Amino acid sequence: MAREKSKGFTPGRAKNLVGVAKVLAPALIPVMAPVAARAAALLSDRYDHYRASRLGIPVDQLTRYSGKGAGLHARIAGFSEALDQLRDTERTYVESTERRLAQLLAAVRAAERMPAPRRKAAHRAVSADLDAMEADLLKRLGV
């Protein structure tokens, strides 16, 4: 009687693989650990670049913008930088807009601790307000 070879993963094969792993692991770990560490660092770097490009900021500023409202926070910061071009010609507009941006930034920060539905509603409101303010800024810049 010929014994049929079973296809698949059997307890005997599992035991053999564990034995092989016990022998090979001490030799492979020192070789593979640096490769795995480099791969993890590369993936982390690529992910940071991806996040920074989505926010429209340089990678070195990524730590400034975190959380669910990171995109809005970056938009507010960019808007504030754009106001510098009008500081000399339209001082009152710049000052009132900076006060409003400070309020919007406070709202984004406060929304971080809200339940998801309220946070999303707050973010939508801030985004809509920023849209209107950006349109006004572009008009004043002549774009």
Side-chain angles (χ1 to χ4, degrees), residues 5 44 71 78 112:
K5 287 189 178 183
S44 175
E112 289 294 322

Side-chain angles (χ1 to χ4, degrees), residues 97-116:
T97 304
E98 284 178 335
R99 280 193 299 275
R100 184 62 184 145
L101 288 176
Q103 292 171 345
L104 293 177
L105 186 58
V108 169
R109 287 183 178 150
E112 289 294 322
R113 293 175 293 283
M114 292 179 184

Side-chain angles (χ1 to χ4, degrees), residues 5-114:
K5 287 189 178 183
S6 66
K7 295 180 182 178
F9 203 66
T10 64
R13 286 186 182 168
K15 188 175 178 182
N16 288 342
L17 285 175
V18 169
V20 170
K22 284 181 183 179
V23 172
L24 291 180
L28 289 178
I29 288 176
V31 174
M32 295 305 292
V35 173
R38 271 186 253 130
L42 179 65
L43 286 174
S44 175
D45 186 53
R46 292 263 170 103
Y47 183 66
D48 286 347
H49 278 82
Y50 167 75
R51 285 181 33 220
S53 69
R54 283 195 61 206
L55 293 174
I57 58 171
V59 175
D60 60 337
Q61 292 182 3
L62 192 59
T63 56
R64 292 183 190 178
Y65 310 106
S66 63
K68 302 285 187 185
L72 288 172
H73 191 179
R75 267 182 81 186
I76 292 169
F79 190 96
S80 181
E81 290 173 10
L83 282 176
D84 289 339
Q85 295 177 3
L86 293 175
R87 191 169 303 280
D88 296 334
T89 58
E90 299 189 40
R91 192 161 202 72
T92 56
Y93 168 75
V94 170
E95 289 172 358
S96 66
T97 304
E98 284 178 335
R99 280 193 299 275
R100 184 62 184 145
L101 288 176
Q103 292 171 345
L104 293 177
L105 186 58
V108 169
R109 287 183 178 150
E112 289 294 322
R113 293 175 293 283
M114 292 179 184

